[in-house]
Amino acid sequence: DAGVIQSPRHEVTEMGQEVTLRCKPISGHNSLFWYRQTMMRGLELLIYFNNNVPIDDSGMPEDRFSAKMPNASFSTLKIQPSEPRDSAVYFCASGLRGITDTQYFGPGTRLTVL
Amino acid sequence: DAKTTQPTSMDCAEGRAANLPCNHSTISGNEYVYWYRQIHSQGPQYIIHGLKNNETNEMASLIITEDRKSSTLILPHATLRDTAVYYCIVRPDSSYKLIFGSGTRLLVRP
């Protein structure tokens, strides 16, 4: 199995630009999570999808952030407009909710907003 | 969710056992103990989890005290590749959330 796939691995953009991060979960998994990791705040859950439906988006910082999961094999996290304080590593994780509840993380996208 | 307390850092010699402690004195009866680790520049990696009984898999062993207020993750023969931050997480059976604390930074010395 290829594991969770994220793209791009690194993204450098300028303040005000739109950023789209992509995630392909492990085939057969029914839950998907987006996390953000910074030195100051550690690893934080942004949003959780179950069977492609957003269940908990209470961790999404503000309206500039949005996430979608159009099908079981793809999810996006969009930031528009981006700000320097959005610089962080963004992780996607997937799992089998109700079976094992273990979350498998992707390699992350390192975002730098100048 | 129950709070966990871990030492900030530890070290051990390569080839020796690494014993990482975790206190979770407010744990509830339906809460599992999970361990994840994060090697530098990688995503967190699941290691093991348990409820009451001790658990062992190909990566590690988890020892949970009888009162469940603390646990120890054991890496039986640590290698340099085990250098990472180790997170102890307590999670209710019904919850999907993993709340990561600061973890223990383990350094395995040659």
Side-chain angles (χ1 to χ4, degrees), chain A residues 3-79:
Chain A
V4 175
I5 299 172
Q6 292 187 245
S7 64
R9 293 294 310 278
H10 302 273
E11 177 79 34
V12 180
T13 190
E14 293 188 346
M15 183 173 63
Q17 296 298 307
E18 177 180 295
V19 175
T20 299
L21 311 181
R22 296 172 176 79
C23 175
K24 177 178 170 56
I26 294 172
S27 177
H29 281 187
N30 61 5
S31 58
L32 185 137
F33 307 81
W34 282 99
Y35 288 83
R36 177 173 68 175
Q37 186 172 35
T38 62
M39 288 292 291
M40 291 295 293
R41 300 175 65 89
L43 204 57
E44 306 172 282
L45 177 65
L46 299 178
I47 188 167
Y48 158 56
F49 291 87
N50 186 247
N51 292 322
N52 311 336
V53 176
I55 302 300
D56 181 359
D57 65 356
S58 60
M60 295 286 265
E62 47 197 275
D63 292 345
R64 298 184 298 106
F65 285 68
S66 63
K68 294 182 179 179
M69 192 165 186
N71 57 61
S73 59
F74 184 65
S75 176
T76 60
L77 178 67
K78 185 178 294 186
I79 308 172

Side-chain angles (χ1 to χ4, degrees), chain B residues 4 11 18 29 33-35 37-38 48 54 60 62 87 90 93 99 107-108:
Chain B
T4 62
D11 66 79
V33 179
Y34 278 77
W35 283 84
R37 74 179 182 183
Q38 188 172 22
I48 199 168
N54 299 336
L62 174 61
Y87 298 98
V90 170
D93 182 33
I99 300 175
L107 173 65
V108 180

